[in-house]
Every structure is written in C-alpha cells, then in structure tokens.
Amino acid sequence: MKPIPFDLARSVALEALARANVPPAHALLQADLLLEAELRGRPSHGLLRLPRVIERIANGVTDPSATGRHAWAGNFLRVEGGGGLGPVIAVRALDVLMDKVAGGGVAVAAIRGNNHLGMLAWYAERVARRDMVLIGLCNSEALVHPWAGRRAMLGTNPVTVGVPTTAGPFVMDMATSLVSMGRIHDHANQNQPIPQGWALDADGNPTTDPHAARLGSIAPFGGPKGYALGLAFEVLIGALTDCALGPEVRGTLDSTEPCNKGDVFIVIDPHSTQGTGRALADYLEAVRLSGAPGAGVAVPGDRAAASRTEKMRDGLPVATGIWRRLLELAGRDDHGA
C-alpha cells in the first residue's frame, strides 16, 4: 500500500464525482467528508465508500442535486431529504439551524430520506467552529445484536458531540456498537481477521472472520449499558423522524435500496454563557495531565488531530484495490495518476 498524497486523492475523488454528474458544490462536500475521515484515521468512513456513493447515483436511489425540503414547527425543523447526498442534506439543515439560534437558543432538525452521513465528527467540528454546540444522532441498518441476543436488531447508532473551546473544538464521535461495520468491511477488504468478541456470524456464533461477520452482527459496546444506549437512540430517532427501525432499515450498505434511516441534529448557541470556552480548554488540558508521570491522557479528538497532521504530511494509506477503483471512476489509469 503506497500512501497517496492528499491533493491527488482529492482531485481523483472530485473527478469521479463530476463524472457521476454531481454538482461541483455538492461534490466538494462529499469529497471533503470522505477525505477528512481518511485524515483522521477512519478509513472505514473514507474513500472506500465513494464507489458505493457513485453506484447509488447510477442506480437512481441517490439524487446528487437534492438539497432537502424544510418545514418548521417552532424551533423544530422537519427535513425530507429526497434521496440527496448525506453531507449535502445535513449541511444545509445545520446551516439553517445555526441561523435560527444565532444569538442564543436551541433548534432541532429531524431528517429522513437522506443518504449515509459518514463520519459524524465532521459535522460536529463544523458547528463548533461557529461557536455553537452540536449533538448529532443517526440510526442505520440492523447491524448490532442486543445484549445476550444472537442476531442484529438495532443499528450502530452513532452519536457526536461538538463543543467550542478557546483551544479549538472538543469533538466526540462514537458508535454504540463495539466497532463500526465499516471497520469490519475494512478488515474484509484487506483479508485481515477481526479480534475475538467483535462480532457473531449469521448463525449467532462468535467469529474472527470479517466476511462471516458482515453476514452476522456486531456486539454492542459496554455490554448491557451500550445496548441500552443504542436502543434508546434507535427509539428516539424513530420518534422524531418517523424513519424505519432495526431490520427494516436499508440504504447505507447497499447500492440499490432507497435509504430510509433517520438523522437528528440538536444545535445550541450558548450565547448567554460566553467566557466558558477558556474554562473548558483549561479543564480538558487538566484531564490530559491527569495520568501517571510520563503518560499522557487523550481526550476525544486528540488522536484524530495527530493522525490528520501525519497524513497531510505523509499521504493517505488507501488500499491498492480501492485506489485502482477510484482511478477508474475518475477516468484515469495508474499511469495517469
């Protein structure tokens, strides 16, 4: 695997999206989202997803021009995504929420009919850099087995929190599964076994085979507590968006089905609490210094920031097969790269 310079990867991604008739502004958002995942060390949410994005456009289940239809009820925004690209529909909704609460307040967007959002941290940082707070949730295909269960009944149901501080945004992004299905796919693409305890096969038996795990289910994180949190998010998202639930969800892991999961964003402008940014930054630094002598403590986002710096310098470690597919989609060959 030869590291790919960031600028080259960006050019190839944009060319591939342009050949799929994605409007330039929408292509920029989609490419930026995927590339940021690569930079942050999240290849499961990175460029390996671009071929499926393009296949979904070709199959007519993603509309690359859609921006979503909005309907307000007080500070509650209902969004019909119209099968648009995940980041396009979400960013427009977030921009509208931030305009709504500017100067102090809270607003909520409930989105359905949108495609895969990708790495939620990207949205949290975007909002936090405008000095606002974001809480973001979404559900997915049933990929996670309940605690003591043997088959997938709920999504990985990630959550993100972004908070502005004077030292830069605090961003937490995690799934309620032990790992994401994207990481299972990443292992499968590289023919690498997964650790014991990550997943069950289709018969409900523990497995270290990533190909078998893709047909089975992932464990919830933290045992019964992670399962309970994931189930709570599934129910909350369903209540707010009227989306499909559990085994009925489709469209983020295939290329042929309309996407019917739900997304929820809560944006808060803490205008009345200006001045807390320095206190938050000082507190997070105290957390970092709270380990044993010579051993630092990481807060969420630290490792991603270090990974970003390294990969901007050294290139993106894109798997050879994925890179060749991206070159093909961009109309290039290995020599034209």
Side-chain angles (χ1 to χ4, degrees):
M1 182 187 300
K2 181 180 178 181
I4 307 299
F6 176 83
D7 288 342
L8 174 58
R10 185 173 187 271
S11 295
V12 167
L14 289 173
E15 289 168 21
L17 289 163
R19 283 167 59 89
N21 297 316
V22 178
H26 295 187
L28 284 169
L29 287 173
Q30 183 67 69
D32 186 48
L33 169 68
L34 300 177
L35 288 164
E36 190 64 23
E38 294 283 353
L39 289 172
R40 289 169 174 260
R42 297 279 297 278
S44 61
H45 288 63
L47 291 171
L48 72 81
R49 292 187 178 261
L50 184 54
R52 182 173 293 130
V53 170
I54 292 173
E55 287 167 7
R56 289 182 60 78
I57 294 171
N59 290 334
V61 290
T62 293
D63 178 356
S65 298
T67 58
R69 299 188 305 275
H70 292 184
W72 282 102
N75 277 32
F76 184 85
L77 177 66
R78 189 168 295 281
V79 179
E80 294 289 343
L85 292 166
V88 173
I89 302 302
V91 164
R92 182 179 176 226
L94 286 172
D95 287 346
V96 169
L97 291 187
M98 287 188 282
D99 289 344
K100 183 79 167 179
V101 303
V106 180
V108 179
I111 307 172
R112 68 177 183 179
N114 193 17
N115 275 285
H116 191 252
L117 285 184
M119 182 183 65
L120 293 186
W122 185 75
Y123 304 94
E125 182 162 341
R126 188 182 186 92
V127 173
R129 289 200 179 280
R130 283 188 55 179
D131 292 325
M132 298 184 191
V133 172
L134 176 69
I135 302 171
L137 308 166
C138 63
N139 69 338
S140 72
E141 282 92 342
L143 299 171
V144 179
H145 62 78
W147 179 246
R150 300 191 66 194
R151 65 188 183 97
M153 289 300 297
L154 59 154
T156 56
N157 298 355
V159 56
T160 191
V161 174
V163 181
T165 84
T166 56
F170 166 85
V171 175
M172 185 278 294
D173 175 2
M174 57 171 267
T176 54
S177 56
L178 185 59
V179 295
S180 69
M181 182 55 84
R183 290 189 68 184
I184 302 288
H185 280 262
D186 192 38
H187 277 70
N189 287 334
Q190 300 181 54
N191 289 313
Q192 294 180 347
I194 60 174
Q196 186 72 37
W198 273 20
L200 305 177
D201 64 19
D203 296 321
N205 300 311
T207 184
T208 60
D209 180 350
H211 302 284
R214 291 199 300 186
L215 302 175
S217 59
I218 309 169
F221 90 93
K225 291 185 178 180
Y227 154 61
L229 190 62
L231 185 61
F233 289 163
E234 186 95 28
V235 172
L236 175 63
I237 294 164
L240 295 180
T241 68
D242 195 27
C243 66
L245 299 172
E248 301 302 317
V249 179
R250 300 286 187 274
T252 68
L253 293 173
D254 63 73
S255 300
T256 59
E257 297 291 329
C259 194
N260 60 2
K261 49 84 178 173
D263 313 316
V264 172
F265 290 122
I266 304 167
V267 172
I268 307 165
D269 182 357
H271 182 74
S272 61
T273 57
Q274 294 297 316
T276 61
R278 169 52 60 189
L280 293 173
D282 290 345
Y283 168 66
L284 292 174
E285 188 60 22
V287 172
R288 293 184 179 96
L289 298 173
S290 66
V297 174
V299 303
D302 283 355
R303 292 189 179 93
S307 173
R308 192 180 197 283
T309 299
E310 173 191 341
K311 290 179 174 61
M312 284 295 291
R313 181 190 67 229
D314 299 337
L316 308 179
V318 182
T320 301
I322 295 169
W323 182 241
R324 287 176 178 165
R325 177 60 175 149
L326 294 178
L327 291 173
E328 177 186 341
L329 290 169
R332 299 193 186 196
D333 55 31
D334 290 308
H335 300 292

